[in-house]
Amino acid sequence: MADLVITGATVVTAMGSTKADVAVTDGRIERIGPDLDPDGARHLDSTGLLVLPGVIDVHTHVRLEDDAHPDRFRRDSLAAAHGGTTTFLTFNNPGTGISDEGASSPLRGLAEFRERTEGRSAVDYGLCSVLSGHQDDPIDELPALIQAGVPTFKAFMVYDFRLPDEELELAMRTAARHGGMLQVHCEDPGMIDPLVADALREGRTACRFHALTRPPQAEAAATRKAIEMARRAEAPLYVVHLSCAEALAEVADAKSRGEPVYAETCPHYLTFTDALYTDPDEGEVIKRVISPPLRSQTDVDALWIGLRDGILDVVGSDHVPDRLDTEKRVPAPPFPEISNGGPGIETLLSVMYSEGVAKGRLGLERMVELLSGNPARLFGLPTKGAIEVGRDADLVLWDPSASRTLRQENLHHTSDFTPYEGLEVRGTPSRVLLRGRAVGEIEGRFMERRLMRREL
Ligand code: MN
Ligand code: MN
């Protein structure tokens, strides 16, 4: 007999939406069908609600806990749950609380991450290792990392810890041979560094110059280069946080050639434009110091089309739990010293439903594919990502008729601001289930992942 039966709702999958009941046994979906009998099971009458698969947020920078921050991993995992995200993947790059020892080697970083996060997450979670030019021999460790359930790795083409080009290509090749995939931050330092130096020389240090020194061309050129490397390396490639039409065109070209190139964008690139950088209040502009920066309305429009027509595969939050009182700091230092990033782990589904589905830019089924189905498929989480018999009952009961205003004071994340302050949104999560249980009833698990070659 089922433990839980959800009745009266509309079940949404990437294939379509149907009125059906859902029965859950031992944390898994046991049956989907009409008129399931809730007799003896916990019964959730969900008439008028949608049942969505829990969101899988593959791009976060949730931070490890220490004496000064004893609950921050826990709190951001709870924030994820409150927003409808039942699995997140995070990076353990320097700045996320990893020790120098853990940062020096991906394998040591994985061991430290697992030890320090055990029993600390309210939802299921996993790690994407960072490969950095500051590590001794990160490429040597790739086969063992993949073996240990971490098959995806972030590498940077920009910042002082970037991998040199020849190492990046070697990392792609090595990862591909052993069943892994690189997630690449594509920006070209050859274009950005001279612009930054020039701005500083001229005394243009205000926050908005962060954006003005990182043009779309720098992203597009690096995206093209990463695609060429992946082609030579016969490797799949995942482009993180794609923000502009020119980079999108590079991905579209690669896809039209049949190459296994995937791309992600983030809700802030779909919601805001670079007009926000003209705000005279530095305290506002600093909230949008992110890389890549916000782009033009033309870029925003192109990204929505890219989501619809399959050029973009995933939407991730790029959650960086910075605070204005500690990491960001106002009055702002010169822009190169400002921490890049902003929070978003709790608002991902709300913003995508409201800005996408409710505004008619995205079908409900396509949203579910971008937030759950494709992340599960591309990141090796076959028990998650869809409402299907046998999969984990990670479910969001979504009330499409609700309206609310996003406010920092109502959020649970560890940041002290939200970029979406004051945004009116349609829809709200009315209940979130992790493996069939209410958030907080069970602990989140570390997910050992395996990529499925045929999926890539
Ligand atoms: Mn990045
Ligand atoms: Mn990031």
Side-chain angles (χ1 to χ4, degrees):
M1 198 199 323
D3 304 325
L4 167 72
V5 176
I6 299 163
T7 61
T10 298
V11 174
V12 182
T13 71
M15 314 305 248
S17 303
T18 42
K19 270 239 185 293
D21 301 339
V22 180
V24 175
T25 302
D26 291 333
R28 299 210 165 188
I29 297 166
E30 187 197 24
R31 266 185 88 184
I32 304 166
D35 304 319
L36 300 185
D37 183 3
D39 185 39
R42 194 154 67 96
H43 177 207
L44 289 177
D45 178 355
S46 302
T47 307
L49 302 182
L50 305 175
V51 193
L52 311 176
V55 170
I56 301 171
D57 187 351
V58 298
H59 192 150
T60 78
H61 301 266
V62 172
R63 291 175 176 148
L64 297 172
E65 296 167 349
D66 54 27
D67 290 345
H69 313 88
D71 65 349
R72 63 184 180 179
F73 196 86
R74 180 92 198 156
R75 279 180 60 197
D76 273 349
S77 76
L78 276 167
H82 279 284
T85 291
T86 48
T87 305
F88 68 89
L89 304 182
T90 189
F91 298 107
N92 59 354
N93 49 294
T96 54
I98 193 90
S99 69
D100 289 348
E101 158 102 10
S104 71
S105 134
L107 273 176
R108 284 198 291 271
L110 168 61
E112 180 180 335
F113 178 86
R114 289 202 61 167
E115 192 187 312
R116 290 176 62 184
T117 58
E118 176 73 42
R120 296 300 298 154
S121 181
V123 294
D124 290 346
Y125 68 103
L127 179 68
C128 301
S129 284
V130 168
L131 306 182
S132 140
H134 290 170
Q135 293 159 340
D136 293 338
D137 230 332
I139 298 168
D140 270 7
E141 299 186 3
L142 289 178
L145 278 165
I146 294 166
Q147 226 26 62
V150 176
T152 54
F153 317 96
K154 187 171 183 187
F156 298 81
M157 299 176 81
V158 72
Y159 301 134
D160 64 344
F161 50 86
R162 66 177 168 262
L163 280 190
D165 289 348
E166 58 282 5
E167 280 181 46
L168 179 55
E169 192 171 321
L170 179 61
M172 288 178 179
R173 178 174 289 113
T174 307
R177 283 198 183 141
H178 292 88
M181 176 172 73
L182 262 72
Q183 304 155 267
V184 182
H185 178 138
C186 300
E187 283 187 297
D188 181 354
M191 283 188 207
I192 292 169
D193 291 351
L195 290 172
V196 171
D198 189 50
L200 294 181
R201 212 165 26 240
E202 304 283 321
R204 298 189 299 250
T205 61
C207 293
R208 68 179 182 281
F209 292 105
H210 170 82
L212 292 170
T213 54
R214 308 183 90 86
Q217 297 88 320
E219 183 183 341
T223 305
R224 181 167 55 244
K225 194 169 169 184
I227 289 169
E228 285 165 2
M229 286 180 184
R231 189 187 313 140
R232 283 195 299 270
E234 300 180 319
L237 169 68
Y238 183 89
V239 177
V240 296
H241 52 45
L242 189 144
S243 74
C244 64
E246 286 178 54
L248 185 69
E250 299 294 342
V251 172
D253 283 353
K255 282 197 150 107
S256 73
R257 293 189 297 266
E259 294 167 16
V261 171
Y262 308 97
E264 157 203 286
T265 191
C266 311
H268 37 275
Y269 301 122
L270 299 162
T271 312
F272 304 125
T273 71
D274 53 7
L276 292 175
Y277 295 126
T278 62
D279 193 318
D281 182 354
E282 285 283 270
E284 283 303 307
V285 180
I286 199 169
K287 295 176 185 171
R288 270 85 188 200
V289 173
I290 54 174
S291 296
L294 300 176
R295 305 297 195 187
S296 70
Q297 187 62 50
T298 307
D299 293 302
V300 172
D301 296 342
L303 294 180
W304 281 111
I305 293 168
L307 289 175
R308 275 205 299 277
D309 67 10
I311 305 304
L312 293 166
D313 301 283
V314 172
V315 181
S317 70
D318 201 2
H319 172 75
V320 174
D322 276 356
R323 297 178 60 90
L324 294 171
D325 65 4
T326 45
E327 285 87 11
K328 288 285 200 190
R329 289 183 292 126
V330 181
F335 71 87
E337 295 166 33
I338 299 170
S339 174
N340 281 206
I345 200 167
E346 193 169 352
T347 45
L348 173 58
L349 175 57
S350 291
V351 172
M352 289 311 296
Y353 181 86
S354 187
E355 292 292 307
V357 177
K359 289 191 174 174
R361 291 159 160 159
L362 210 58
L364 188 56
E365 291 79 12
R366 180 63 182 153
M367 181 192 77
V368 157
E369 198 169 27
L370 291 161
L371 294 177
S372 303
N374 286 347
R377 185 170 63 82
L378 295 174
F379 285 82
L381 293 161
T383 61
K384 303 202 174 283
I387 301 176
E388 226 173 69
V389 170
R391 297 220 195 196
D392 286 353
D394 296 348
L395 303 171
V396 180
L397 302 185
W398 183 261
D399 181 355
S401 64
S403 298
R404 68 207 152 101
T405 305
L406 295 180
R407 298 259 179 235
Q408 167 63 19
E409 65 192 24
N410 300 324
L411 297 176
H412 305 78
H413 61 200
T414 54
S415 294
D416 58 357
F417 74 101
T418 169
Y420 301 100
E421 185 71 34
L423 186 74
E424 308 276 344
V425 292
R426 290 287 307 278
T428 195
S430 109
R431 207 184 274 267
V432 178
L433 302 172
L434 175 68
R435 288 180 262 117
R437 307 290 290 275
V439 171
E441 280 182 11
I442 52 172
E443 288 301 334
R445 287 182 189 146
F446 179 84
M447 301 296 296
E448 289 188 4
R449 299 179 290 122
R450 303 263 173 271
L451 301 190
M452 290 151 286
R453 182 51 84 213
R454 68 193 150 76
E455 308 280 8
L456 295 178

